[in-house]
Amino acid sequence: MDIKEKFRNMNVEKRAYINGKYVESKSRKTIEKYSSFNGMDLSGISACGKDDVEDTVKCAKNAFELGIWRKKTPEEKKNIMLKFADMLECCREELAILDTIETSRAYQNYYYDSIPKAIGAIRYFAEGIDKYYDSAIPPREDAFATVTRCPLGVVGIITPWNDPMVVAAWKFAPALLMGNSVIIKPAEQSSLSMIRVAEIASEAGIPKGVFNVLPGFGEEAGKALALHKEVQGIFFTGSSEVGRQIVQYSGMSNMKKVGLECGGKSPFIVSKNCGDLKEAAKVLAENVFYNQGQICSAPSRVIIEKLVRDEFMELLKKESEKFVPGNPYEIRNNVGCIVSKNQYEKVKTYIELAKRNGAIIYQAKTVKEKPINACCIQPTIISGVENSDKVARDEIFGPVVVLLEAENIQEAIKMANDTPYGLSGAIFTDDLNEAYYAAKGIESGLVHINSYGEDDNMAPFGGFKESGLGKDKSLWAFDEYSQQKTVWMKFKMPSGMRG
């Protein structure tokens, strides 16, 4: 399949989707950008600003107040969302091409993994909404109280570039099903698929004004959305630095509800009691080098007991060679490029810094053809550093893993927690007691035992510390996009029943 040719023959929409139709941004400004794989000009996507946010919020609020979506029964919303998911599945190839062209991530990843996961998330939440009950307190003789969940109103969703469809679906599906109107601000590096998804949402039956997409820059459109006083919730996935700003914007505006899934520097502990080091190395490589390491929960810090360090290192080197980057348009390739020139240079800077500071650098050999100027980085293993070094503390967001040594599991857990992040973590061991106490001791929202990345839509996902607030996925996500209301009812005994 010639992905580049298919893209050129597609009628690609680059405008914002507001109130059920495509419109130009007020300023007519556009985003200038080029493919990090082959330099293809991808400019022309609308760069929305404050005025566009203002118009969109008005439309979204009007739709909410009219109740054209909010007042639908759970079953009605469920059926529309299931139809939406079916229509997205019919557009799977188109959406995969759009994301591949924009991000230079391997087409194989999108078509076989990301797009199906996004569709699966929508179906999961749709099937859950009419099985998600409110509650009541124990009744009194003359009183009764219900506790119900009410939609927030207008909800802003700011999504990242590394997995455009999946993260968006984790957020917009529960937000919509709770009855909110949503405004999605996709990352400027990956906007095309969400712009197309908005049109499909309308075709599926989601009323105008309820599902809106505003492409643009974070410091303009994203900031305006987070500061708007009629936006009652803002939900973001991205860096911890921007997450902190969004918390501030909430306080500066209307104290809107905030949900954040931010950075990570997740620890991957390998015990001397791990009976299958080869499996541990395989799982690590799959999760840290997949998508050129551009994954928030990537296990980028290996903390290994010294006794098994050398053997594990050799196994990891072999496994890393399975993730050498290549042409993202070739369906047989499982790894593409870094998303942009800027991100590519950032990752290279970290590697060079480690070299200058005396670290030992191993990079897998190049075995796949790619353009000379493609922004690709070989899987990189850095050893000979301390947990306090910059490469061991910062979220690099590239195919880079740092190997650290520990004397024992107690020290390994202490090192694992010596970070501002707490998104995910893992321990590989055959000692059940060791696994139990490590899982309890690791300070992160998700801990894997002898596995990594093997969760599903039923398991909540979100971090501790500077990795964020709130949860994506699972039935708990419905709580994020709603607020509790208690109704206390006082009754009088009917006159005929009075003794």
Side-chain angles (χ1 to χ4, degrees):
M1 179 172 64
D2 190 335
I3 289 176
K4 188 175 178 181
E5 188 62 28
K6 282 203 169 194
F7 178 75
R8 283 175 172 165
N9 291 329
M10 289 165 60
N11 183 23
V12 179
E13 184 57 70
K14 297 183 177 182
R15 295 175 293 172
Y17 195 84
I18 303 172
N19 205 31
K21 61 182 179 181
Y22 286 115
V23 295
E24 297 282 358
S25 64
K26 295 279 190 181
S27 66
R28 294 294 194 273
K29 290 181 180 178
T30 59
I31 298 168
E32 179 182 325
K33 63 178 181 179
Y34 302 88
S35 166
S36 63
F37 168 59
N38 56 16
M40 185 194 308
D41 190 347
L42 300 173
S43 303
I45 297 172
S46 292
C48 295
K50 187 175 181 179
D51 291 342
D52 303 292
V53 170
E54 190 65 38
D55 286 354
T56 310
V57 172
K58 285 180 182 177
C59 294
K61 184 181 179 184
N62 182 61
F64 181 77
E65 290 179 342
L66 288 173
I68 52 178
W69 175 256
R70 172 174 55 87
K71 292 180 181 179
K72 289 186 182 296
T73 66
E75 186 176 10
E76 288 172 329
K77 285 184 281 192
K78 170 179 133 176
N79 290 335
I80 290 172
M81 292 296 284
L82 288 175
K83 181 180 178 182
F84 181 25
D86 290 344
M87 293 176 70
L88 290 173
E89 191 155 44
C90 292
C91 299
R92 181 172 158 192
E93 180 183 285
E94 175 189 0
L95 296 169
I97 289 172
L98 291 174
D99 280 339
T100 299
I101 291 292
E102 260 199 298
T103 67
S104 298
R105 179 176 172 179
Y107 174 82
Q108 179 192 120
N109 292 173
Y110 284 119
Y111 187 81
Y112 292 107
D113 187 24
S114 286
I115 307 300
K117 279 182 178 176
I119 295 167
I122 295 169
R123 287 179 175 146
Y124 169 80
F125 285 115
E127 289 288 359
I129 191 61
D130 60 357
K131 305 167 187 69
Y132 189 61
Y133 298 104
D134 289 321
S135 56
I137 69 165
R140 274 62 170 166
E141 180 66 24
D142 61 348
F144 182 68
T146 60
V147 182
T148 59
R149 293 171 182 83
C150 306
L152 298 174
V154 179
V155 165
I157 296 172
I158 302 174
T159 58
W161 46 260
N162 62 318
D163 212 342
M165 285 275 296
V166 174
V167 177
W170 285 351
K171 299 180 189 300
F172 73 63
L176 287 170
L177 285 158
M178 288 307 297
N180 299 288
S181 294
V182 303
I183 302 170
I184 301 172
K185 206 299 285 183
E188 52 267 32
Q189 299 91 338
S190 57
S191 303
L192 295 178
S193 61
M194 284 313 303
I195 291 172
R196 175 70 177 108
V197 165
E199 184 177 39
I200 298 170
S202 289
E203 292 169 353
I206 296 176
K208 67 178 183 179
V210 174
F211 192 107
N212 309 276
V213 175
L214 283 181
F217 295 102
E219 59 268 28
E220 295 173 15
K223 181 178 180 179
L225 193 60
L227 281 169
H228 203 290
K229 291 189 176 182
E230 297 297 337
V231 174
Q232 301 301 324
I234 194 81
F235 299 88
F236 166 80
T237 292
S239 72
S240 297
E241 177 185 5
V242 177
R244 283 191 290 270
Q245 292 175 356
I246 287 175
V247 173
Q248 292 174 349
Y249 296 153
S250 171
M252 291 164 62
S253 53
N254 58 348
M255 293 180 68
K256 57 176 61 66
K257 194 170 187 179
V258 173
L260 305 173
E261 193 269 277
C262 297
K265 193 73 173 179
S266 299
F268 189 98
I269 298 174
V270 182
S271 164
K272 67 178 183 296
N273 295 315
C274 174
D276 193 345
L277 291 175
K278 184 176 181 180
E279 175 66 12
K282 177 177 179 288
V283 171
L284 174 63
E286 287 173 347
N287 286 277
V288 77
F289 298 134
Y290 179 79
N291 189 24
Q292 283 271 273
Q294 298 169 122
I295 308 167
C296 54
S297 59
S300 52
R301 282 190 305 149
V302 181
I303 304 172
I304 186 165
E305 287 196 79
K306 289 184 178 181
L307 190 65
V308 292
R309 186 260 187 212
D310 292 343
E311 182 182 355
F312 183 81
M313 181 68 161
E314 292 307 309
L315 291 167
L316 182 58
K317 287 178 181 179
K318 290 179 183 177
E319 291 294 333
S320 72
E321 293 172 2
K322 299 176 182 178
F323 296 90
V324 169
N327 182 343
Y329 301 172
E330 291 289 340
I331 196 165
R332 67 177 182 274
N333 286 338
N334 65 336
V335 181
C337 302
I338 298 291
V339 70
S340 66
K341 183 72 172 175
N342 286 342
Q343 183 64 17
Y344 170 74
E345 293 296 340
K346 174 189 169 185
V347 176
K348 281 183 60 181
T349 298
Y350 274 104
I351 297 171
E352 291 302 318
L353 175 64
K355 283 182 182 178
R356 289 197 302 272
N357 290 339
I360 301 167
I361 310 293
Y362 173 83
Q363 290 187 305
K365 299 178 179 64
T366 302
V367 295
K368 296 177 182 176
E369 292 184 6
K370 55 186 180 294
I372 294 172
N373 295 321
C375 295
C376 299
I377 294 177
Q378 303 304 106
T380 303
I381 305 168
I382 299 177
S383 58
V385 298
E386 298 296 326
N387 200 35
S388 57
D389 289 349
K390 192 172 179 62
V391 290
R393 298 195 69 77
D394 290 4
E395 183 182 40
I396 298 173
F397 226 62
V400 180
V401 63
V402 175
L403 195 67
L404 304 166
E405 296 180 15
E407 293 289 344
N408 51 52
I409 287 298
Q410 288 81 4
E411 184 183 17
I413 295 171
K414 185 178 179 181
M415 291 170 67
N417 294 334
D418 183 16
T419 171
Y421 299 113
L423 188 53
S424 192
I427 179 167
F428 271 71
T429 179
D430 288 358
D431 186 323
L432 181 60
N433 293 314
E434 192 172 65
Y436 176 76
Y437 283 101
K440 281 188 66 176
I442 295 172
E443 297 169 352
S444 67
L446 177 62
V447 178
H448 299 271
I449 296 175
N450 295 330
S451 64
Y452 205 93
E454 294 181 8
D455 55 357
D456 58 29
N457 287 314
M458 291 188 288
F461 179 72
F464 292 0
K465 300 189 281 191
E466 292 184 26
S467 287
L469 307 167
K471 300 294 180 182
D472 286 321
K473 305 197 302 176
S474 82
L475 293 180
W476 279 287
F478 287 125
D479 288 343
E480 301 292 327
Y481 302 94
S482 61
Q483 49 196 344
Q484 285 186 345
K485 175 182 283 189
T486 299
V487 177
W488 187 278
M489 296 167 275
K490 183 79 170 178
F491 301 100
K492 291 182 178 180
M493 182 79 70
S495 58
M497 295 180 64
R498 292 172 187 165

